[in-house]
Amino acid sequence: MILITGGAGFIGSNFIIDWLGAPGQDEALVNVDRLTYAGNLENLAGVEHDSRYRFVRLDICERDRILELLRAQRPRAIVHFAAESHVDRSILGPGEFVRTNIEGTFSLLQAAHGYWGELDAPSRATFRFVHVSTDEVYGSLGPTDAPFREASAYQPNSPYSASKAASDHLVRAWHHTYGFPAITTNCSNNYGPYQFPEKLIPLVIANAIAGKPLPVYGDGTNVRDWLYVGDHCAALRSVLRSGRPGQTYNIGGGVEMANIDVVRAVCRLLDELRPDPAGPHERLVSYVTDRPGHDWRYAIDARKIAGELRWTPAESFASGIARTARWYLEHQSWVERVLSGAYKDWIATNYGGR
Ligand code: NAD
Ligand code: TYD
């Protein structure tokens, strides 16, 4: 079996659903999640009663309890998603990012390293620890800079990316020093079903459906490289299967788009799927004060994973965003439940003074 951390979040829940839904899948999966504001077990309602699935509510900072769980469950691999993941929250409250992303990854590494050391030689040889990280550790690109490669220098600019960079360094050191079979992936911006509507794409979809303003930071020219979440999950499965310990793999969609173009694409789709009698959704675009230290451009060079592991994205931006918009339209009650109490406070904190 395999053990996942952060499986109740956006990418983790997509990974679990895809894993258990794969034809002929007989390998079980344990999901360890602390259930922060971003963890939502409703995402996993469809697998809750699956005999191959088990949920354990646990903080990755609890090293001894994680070690106990590893000894009891005996996974052949760990895929580590758990993190604080939202840049704006990291700007307003960096402490949780240091705690979960740095201290939590450290605790998890210690527990996993201890467990790995107790395995018999064949199990030790095949064990894998996949650390799911971000392209934001490489900093910000100018308009003509080449996309990020695995060898690009780390230049994190936000408390979020700095905390993820620190966790990547710990993982690297555990491999280099102790021979711990860890692999790090650095992926670009994901979008798709179950993404919490604090991130750009689901926020814009939810606000557009509700006829609310669509907040675009600064002048909207910042560029991101977008990848459909199912493609990220497929890339992680190929890394788990054939990635080489000690290596890092960049994962990206090769879809560079300015934020305003992403927002306009979503508006056009909603104009088709759910026309608003008041007029085109684009009328709701509202330019607001920029994010402090806002990275200008991210772009991924994914040639290493394409060449070594034969992974390339299956979805284009057009097909992925259409699937995503349809999913949000069909799951409005999910959105409404997510948009309850605590989330309202976040909207007031982040957008109130902008
Ligand atoms: P998310 O915020 O949606 O989910 C994070 C999950 O981790 C939640 O279920 C939360 O409850 C859990 N968690 C947080 N702190 C925990 C702790 N101390 N112990 C146990 N569980 C805890 O995040 P996501 O967007 O699904 O991202 C998953 C991973 O992928 C993160 O490591 C993130 O840095 C990375 N990543 C995300 C993107 C993206 O575009 N979303 C892109 C590249 C990499
Ligand atoms: P986000 O989804 O927060 O991801 P990240 O900051 O990790 O790239 O933001 C994506 C881009 O969209 C980023 O350049 C910031 C911008 N953005 C807005 O313009 N308005 C918003 O309300 C949000 C949340 C993001």
Side-chain angles (χ1 to χ4, degrees):
M1 56 91 65
I2 66 168
L3 186 140
I4 305 294
T5 70
F10 162 49
I11 305 173
S13 51
N14 276 282
F15 185 89
I16 292 172
I17 291 164
D18 290 356
W19 182 270
L20 296 174
Q25 178 63 264
D26 56 7
E27 190 169 30
L29 186 154
V30 171
N31 171 20
V32 174
D33 197 299
R34 179 189 176 200
L35 297 185
T36 67
Y37 79 94
N40 186 353
L41 286 182
E42 193 184 334
N43 302 358
L44 297 162
V47 300
E48 202 182 355
H49 302 296
D50 191 313
S51 59
R52 299 164 299 166
Y53 173 71
R54 181 165 170 219
F55 171 67
V56 180
R57 185 169 191 181
L58 192 53
D59 188 326
I60 53 166
C61 294
E62 293 203 47
R63 188 187 62 190
D64 294 346
R65 290 188 60 197
I66 297 274
L67 179 55
E68 237 173 73
L69 181 71
L70 291 170
R71 285 177 175 150
Q73 297 291 333
R74 305 190 59 76
R76 64 152 180 111
I78 296 173
V79 186
H80 175 34
F81 293 97
E84 288 293 331
S85 69
H86 187 33
V87 174
D88 293 316
R89 284 185 193 257
S90 83
I91 294 169
L92 293 167
E96 275 301 299
F97 288 71
V98 170
R99 199 188 88 87
T100 284
N101 299 0
I102 306 179
E103 291 171 23
T105 300
F106 167 60
S107 293
L108 181 68
L109 276 172
Q110 281 189 308
H113 179 220
Y115 162 72
W116 175 72
E118 296 166 2
L119 294 173
D120 58 30
S123 307
R124 213 166 37 238
T126 54
F127 184 82
R128 294 290 180 267
F129 182 97
V130 177
H131 174 58
V132 182
S133 192
T134 165
D135 60 354
E136 303 192 24
V137 298
Y138 298 120
S140 181
L141 294 168
T144 57
D145 290 336
F148 301 129
R149 306 214 55 174
E150 286 77 4
S152 297
Y154 270 41
Q155 294 185 324
N157 290 319
S158 71
Y160 164 64
S161 55
S163 66
K164 290 296 289 187
S167 69
D168 293 7
H169 291 324
L170 290 173
V171 170
R172 176 189 157 89
W174 258 244
H175 174 263
H176 188 83
T177 305
Y178 307 114
F180 183 63
I183 306 171
T184 293
T185 59
N186 296 94
C187 187
S188 63
N189 286 63
N190 285 213
Y191 65 97
Y194 301 113
Q195 187 168 29
F196 197 85
E198 64 184 355
K199 306 276 169 66
L200 179 69
I201 288 180
L203 179 93
V204 164
I205 296 175
N207 282 13
I209 293 172
K212 292 185 184 157
L214 313 179
V216 175
Y217 295 168
D219 63 4
T221 58
N222 301 65
V223 173
R224 297 292 183 264
D225 179 343
W226 294 97
L227 181 68
Y228 186 72
V229 64
D231 281 325
H232 186 189
C233 294
L236 292 172
R237 290 194 300 275
S238 68
V239 167
L240 189 56
R241 205 179 309 119
S242 330
R244 289 179 292 141
Q247 294 292 309
T248 68
Y249 295 90
N250 281 356
I251 304 170
V255 176
E256 284 189 56
M257 286 177 74
N259 291 338
I260 186 62
D261 294 329
V262 171
V263 173
R264 286 190 182 126
V266 169
C267 288
R268 278 195 303 271
L269 251 175
L270 291 175
D271 289 343
E272 268 172 46
L273 297 171
R274 155 78 71 105
D276 182 343
H281 289 94
E282 205 181 315
R283 76 186 193 286
L284 299 169
V285 167
S286 162
Y287 289 92
V288 298
T289 309
D290 209 353
R291 171 188 281 172
H294 195 176
D295 282 340
W296 192 70
R297 172 177 167 236
Y298 304 140
I300 280 281
D301 181 334
R303 277 180 290 177
K304 179 174 172 181
I305 189 169
E308 240 184 62
L309 307 183
R310 299 279 155 227
W311 172 87
T312 51
E315 298 285 348
S316 65
F317 184 75
S319 64
I321 198 72
R323 281 179 77 163
T324 305
R326 274 198 298 273
W327 187 88
Y328 279 90
L329 284 169
E330 285 160 12
H331 292 81
Q332 283 191 60
S333 55
W334 180 91
V335 177
E336 275 154 27
R337 276 192 290 277
V338 166
L339 301 185
S340 63
Y343 182 74
K344 285 198 184 111
D345 297 342
W346 164 251
I347 293 295
T349 309
N350 192 43
Y351 297 96
R354 274 196 147 102

